[in-house]
């Protein structure tokens, strides 16, 4: 997990660096533009656009990594809460109450909110 965080951090900084370089190339292309050298200006603008496109790719990669890590930490949090709930249920001395709570926990894990009511 720390490797993913380090990669996301590196990706973010690369995106910042490439975005700065691309913007600088674009700015230089417009400042140094002369009507006699349109081809040179087009090459400079294309170069800046390509560099900025690379930086966008790094931004997207960094954002996806952050999203993935957030989902992972949310799952860890839920796992910890479930483990704590199982420990608390195990401490209940009343066997019928403990069994009922275990059944409810099993239903929750299986995604069933409530049992079907057969008294229709």
């Amino acid at each position: 997990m720390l490797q993913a965080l380090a990669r996301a951090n590196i990706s973010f900084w690369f995106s910042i660096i490439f975005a700065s370089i691309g913007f600088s190339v674009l700015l230089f292309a417009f400042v140094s533009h002369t009507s006699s050298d349109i081809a040179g200006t087009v090459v400079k603008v294309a170069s800046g656009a390509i560099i900025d496109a690379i930086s966008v790719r790094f931004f997207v990669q960094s954002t996806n990594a952050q999203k993935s890590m957030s989902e992972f930490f949310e799952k860890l949090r839920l796992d910890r809460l479930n483990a704590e709930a199982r420990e608390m249920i195990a401490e209940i001395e009343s066997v019928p109450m403990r069994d009922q709570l275990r059944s409810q926990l099993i239903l929750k894990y299986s995604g069933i909110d409530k049992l079907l009511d057969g008294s229709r």
Side-chain angles (χ1 to χ4, degrees):
M1 195 64 194
L2 291 175
Q3 291 175 346
L5 184 60
R7 279 188 296 225
N9 192 21
I10 290 169
S11 180
F12 174 76
W13 283 108
F14 267 111
S15 61
I16 295 292
I17 290 167
F18 276 105
S20 300
I21 291 170
F23 180 73
S24 299
V25 170
L26 286 171
L27 189 63
F28 177 72
F30 288 116
V31 169
S32 67
H33 170 68
T34 60
S35 57
S36 62
D37 188 24
I38 299 219
T41 302
V42 169
V43 169
K44 292 173 193 171
V45 168
S47 299
I50 290 170
I51 294 170
D52 276 341
I54 291 170
S55 72
V56 167
R57 176 63 184 130
F58 280 120
F59 274 123
V60 168
Q61 186 178 1
S62 175
T63 302
N64 288 342
Q66 290 173 352
K67 180 180 165 188
S68 178
M69 285 185 287
S70 294
E71 291 170 358
F72 177 75
F73 284 125
E74 178 64 19
K75 288 178 183 178
L76 282 179
R77 186 184 71 81
L78 289 175
D79 285 347
R80 182 184 51 82
L81 290 174
N82 289 329
E84 289 175 3
R86 285 192 312 266
E87 289 174 7
M88 285 187 231
I89 290 172
E91 293 176 4
I92 295 175
E93 294 178 12
S94 170
V95 175
M97 178 64 80
R98 184 175 58 225
D99 290 343
Q100 182 183 11
L101 288 173
R102 282 182 179 159
S103 298
Q104 289 176 2
L105 196 58
I106 289 169
L107 291 173
K108 181 180 182 222
Y109 287 152
S110 64
I112 300 172
D113 291 332
K114 95 180 184 185
L115 290 175
L116 296 175
D117 188 11
S119 61
R120 287 188 191 195

